[in-house]
Each structure stands twice: as C-alpha cells, then as structure tokens.
Amino acid sequence: MIAATDQRSALEEARRYLVGGVNSPVRAFRHIGGEPLLLHRAKGAEVEDVQGRRFLDFIAGWGAILLGHNPPAVVDALRRRADAGVLLGLTHPAEAELARLITEAVPSVEQVRFTVSGTEADLTAARLAMGITGRRAVLAFDGCYHGHAVLAPEVIRVPYNDPAALEAALQRHGQQLACVIVEPVAANMGVVPPEPGFLARVRDLTSRQGILLIFDEVVTGFRLGAGGAQGSLGVTPDLTVFGKIIGGGLPIGAVGGPRRLLQRLAPEGDVYHGGTFAGHPLSMAAGIAALRELAAHPPYESLERRSGRLADGLLRESRAHGVSLRVNRAGSMLTVFFADRPVRNEADAKASRRDRFAQWARALLAQGILVPPSPFEALFLTTAHTDEHVERLIRASGEAFQSWHE
Ligand SMILES: *Cc1c(COP(=O)(O)O)cnc(C)c1O
C-alpha cells in the first residue's frame, strides 16, 4: 500500500527537485491554471491523487492505455517477466513475438525495430529515410507532433489538410526531401482528422518524387483499429512509427516497414541505431499481453459506439446552453474545441477559445473528472470506460455550461 501524502508538501518537493515540478511540460497545468494533480495510483478508468481523491480519467496515459489501467493480463505478464529478469542485455524471444503481432495486424509492416520512446522511433525513421534517399530534409505538418527532438538538419513545415500548400512545397524542395512525415489522424493539436482525399494526395505526390512517406501512428496504432489509421483510411505509407499502446503502458517506440527498407538499419545496413533499453523485456511483455488481449476481444466497435455517444451528448449540452463548441473525433479519441467554425488545422485550433477550455477542464476537475489539461490534446476512452462514465462527463459538462450564463 502506498500511503496518501499531503498534496502541498508533495508539490513543494516536486517543484524543488524537478524543473517546473514535472518531467513533461503539459503535466504542469499551465494551460488551464490551478494546481497540478500529483497521482499515485490508477485502476480501470480511475486515477487517484496523493490525497486519495479519485478522478474519472480521460487522459489514459496520453493514449497509451487502451485496456484501462492495470488490466490483469498485463500485470501478470509483468510480474512473470520481472521474476525471470528485468534486463537481459541480449535478444530474447519476446522481441520477435511482439514484432510478429504488429506485422500481422499491419500489412505494410514486415519488420520492426524497437526503441524506448515514440520520439526515438520518429528520429530513427527520419534518419532511415535520409539514409535510404541520400537527402537531408524532412517535411512535416504544422501541429503534428513527432517527439521533442529535431527530426532532421532541415525541417520544412506546411499546414495540415492543405494539399495545395504541400504541392507548392514539394515543387520547391522535393529534390531535397528524404521524407514527408504525418500523423494520419492528427492528435497533438487536438484531434484533427484528415479531410477526404488529403492522405491519398500526400501519398501520390510523395511517390512521384521518390520521397518516403512516414505515418506517425504512435497514437493511432491499435487505437483506430488493429490496423491503425492506415487500415481504416486505406492509404499505405512506406514506414510506420508506433509507440504508446504497443507497450501496454510501458515505455516503447517502434519503426516498421517492408524488409527492403528496414534492412538499411544496422547491423544489416549503414544507418546506425542502437540502445541499451531497446526491446526492453518489460515493455515487450506488457505489449504482447496488451496486443493479445486486443486480438482476442477486439474492442473497437464498442469504443466507437461509446465515443460517438460522448460526442453527441457534449454537442447536445452545448446547444442546450448556447455554447459554441466543436467535437473533433476519430474512434475513441476526441477533442472539444470551443469554436464556432470547423477545426481542420493548427491555426483553427489556436483560434479556439482556450479560456473556455480552461474553465471547462477546471469545472470537470471539481466534479472528479480528469480531462487533459490542455486544449491541444485528446480525450481517450478505454475499454474500462462505461456508458455511465460517459454520461457523467456529459452531465458535468452541461452543468458547467449552464453556470456560464448565470
Ligand atoms: C506521443 C507521441 C510521440 C512521442 O512519443 P513519446 O513516447 O512520448 O516520445 C510521437 N508522435 C506522436 C503522434 C505522439 O502522439
């Protein structure tokens, strides 16, 4: 048992020894104000803070948690793995097993290289593309997130969902571009789905100029279906980056693609990537347990239905109380934008009312509901979320909207 501690002293200690009191900036609650929570436990759809207060959790490990917190299959696999050795230092069979589960679910992937984070996998994919093409520039889209590191010596950016801007950039820079990297469904400017035909156009334009197309499916992989966004949208990239869900809650990242491309990584090829913790036994064990569970009991239809119900309910409450609100949703991830126009790129997201978002998030917190403390993140549903949980969020939102008019 972990004893409940005092929030104030825990926060003071965090601020004394950690930069900004956190290890990842969004956890500091700067977007919504108020004191950040310090958590110490989680189970199912709930997290508990250091004072023992419980919250219905829609952060879900920033999307890494799909089976709810601490599913028994994952916890058992971790216990068994820990008993048998936490770190082995050489290859062990679970690495190929997790890679096989990914290749079976995602047809464009024949081989996999595991990393410790999504950031590292994005970097590795970009370097691999540079090695394959002999070019040094990368094109990425405004508002898409591919980790906190610089992807390449030169990064060109264009707006998301804007094929004309992409075409113009490719005309100018096409010969220097190793790859175009994209979140096939964006989730880091809030959820912004691709407009019909956008990804097909990206695929077509990159193919014509010998530019590799990388899908960053760190969030969407195994969340929008076992085949990820590429499975549901029908556009096939050259390389795919995974993370989050494939680690079952443990640190992980992966680059996947056809053997002929992956073979350019060391030791087969000349693009170096290695890591002390790459293919970590605990991450493999948790990931295998999670992906097996998903294959045995595919949750995607019920997640879709429940998320649709959440989106409908939020829209209904907003209309009832005269609040301008947009819900952008893809499967079990959604973002509430306080905007009166559609949000289809980063500029639209930034033009939404962040003050309203902060008000909403704080009102929910007071009702024991935790949504991401930033207007540019997604709420995630897991298999532990019930219709009752969804109704709680809708009801609490309605109460918040009502109070705005009093
Ligand atoms: C989370 C995320 C990353 C980075 O993964 P980390 O494991 O946090 O380094 C990269 N790309 C996307 C789309 C993400 O959502």
Side-chain angles (χ1 to χ4, degrees):
M1 264 295 280
I2 303 164
T5 49
D6 178 65
Q7 154 90 9
R8 185 126 291 286
S9 66
L11 190 58
E12 271 172 24
E13 289 286 282
R15 285 180 172 157
R16 179 166 308 139
Y17 295 111
L18 303 172
V19 182
V22 296
N23 279 305
S24 198
V26 70
R27 297 177 197 165
F29 280 46
R30 300 259 162 107
H31 284 283
I32 66 165
E35 286 202 346
L37 295 185
L38 282 96
L39 304 179
H40 74 156
R41 297 148 72 90
K43 183 74 195 159
E46 280 191 345
V47 292
E48 191 181 296
D49 80 351
V50 291
Q51 299 179 82
R53 295 181 303 180
R54 293 198 175 158
F55 298 88
L56 180 55
D57 176 29
F58 289 94
I59 294 178
W62 305 98
I65 302 293
L66 184 57
L67 297 168
H69 292 286
N70 300 354
V74 172
V75 174
D76 288 348
L78 283 171
R79 288 216 174 90
R80 281 196 303 276
R81 186 59 255 168
D83 283 342
V86 164
L87 186 60
L88 301 169
L90 293 177
T91 301
H92 66 115
E95 294 168 60
E97 169 70 6
L98 183 56
R100 183 175 63 76
L101 292 172
I102 295 170
T103 64
E104 284 173 0
V106 187
S108 71
V109 175
E110 288 174 348
Q111 281 197 319
V112 172
R113 169 62 56 90
F114 287 113
T115 65
V116 181
S117 69
T119 296
E120 187 196 346
D122 276 319
L123 276 177
T124 304
R127 299 223 169 107
L128 177 56
M130 288 186 251
I132 291 166
T133 58
R135 303 171 178 174
R136 287 165 55 81
V138 167
L139 186 142
F141 295 89
D142 292 332
C144 284
Y145 180 68
H146 307 295
H148 60 265
V150 177
L151 282 172
E154 199 186 337
V155 181
I156 292 149
R157 290 200 159 265
V158 298
Y160 194 73
N161 273 331
D162 188 341
L166 175 66
E167 198 165 349
L170 292 191
Q171 255 163 27
R172 279 190 63 187
H173 306 285
Q175 294 307 307
Q176 288 85 53
L177 282 173
C179 61
V180 168
I181 185 166
V182 63
E183 285 184 78
V185 176
N188 288 281
M189 49 182 136
V191 172
V192 177
E195 292 185 337
F198 174 62
L199 292 174
R201 191 91 184 100
V202 176
R203 173 69 284 182
D204 181 47
L205 290 170
T206 49
S207 295
R208 277 200 241 157
Q209 297 198 52
I211 300 164
L212 294 179
L213 176 57
I214 303 175
F215 273 7
D216 181 340
E217 297 228 38
V218 171
V219 169
T220 52
F222 293 90
R223 176 163 291 278
L224 299 185
Q230 59 194 275
S232 58
L233 298 172
V235 177
T236 305
D238 298 299
L239 296 171
T240 303
V241 178
F242 298 93
K244 298 201 167 105
I245 287 172
I246 64 160
L250 271 79
I252 201 162
V255 183
R259 188 171 284 104
R260 75 185 152 79
L261 297 182
L262 270 283
Q263 293 283 305
R264 291 296 297 274
L265 285 172
E268 299 289 347
D270 54 353
V271 178
Y272 195 78
H273 165 267
T276 306
F277 298 119
H280 195 287
L282 287 173
S283 302
M284 299 297 114
I288 290 167
L291 295 198
R292 279 195 189 141
E293 186 73 19
L294 290 175
H297 309 285
Y300 301 106
E301 272 179 35
S302 66
L303 283 170
E304 170 66 30
R305 190 181 50 74
R306 201 159 281 137
S307 310
R309 190 169 162 159
L310 174 56
D312 292 346
L314 291 168
L315 288 170
R316 204 172 52 236
E317 292 297 334
S318 73
R319 280 193 297 267
H321 299 289
V323 171
S324 293
L325 176 154
R326 298 269 159 177
V327 179
N328 276 16
R329 181 177 78 88
S332 55
M333 53 194 221
L334 66 84
T335 298
V336 173
F337 288 106
F338 292 89
D340 48 20
R341 285 182 303 139
V343 176
R344 45 186 295 282
N345 58 34
E346 189 188 35
D348 295 339
K350 286 191 164 159
S352 69
R353 296 223 15 209
R354 298 180 228 179
D355 55 336
R356 281 295 191 209
F357 180 91
Q359 242 179 323
W360 176 64
R362 284 200 307 265
L364 293 179
L365 215 49
Q367 303 270 355
I369 299 173
L370 178 61
V371 296
S374 159
F376 307 119
E377 300 284 350
L379 278 77
F380 293 100
L381 261 64
T382 72
T383 58
H385 288 93
T386 63
D387 286 339
E388 171 52 28
H389 291 144
V390 162
E391 291 302 329
R392 254 183 80 190
L393 176 53
I394 295 168
R395 228 171 19 245
S397 298
E399 283 165 25
F401 299 159
Q402 172 148 27
S403 74
W404 294 355
H405 294 292
E406 283 165 0

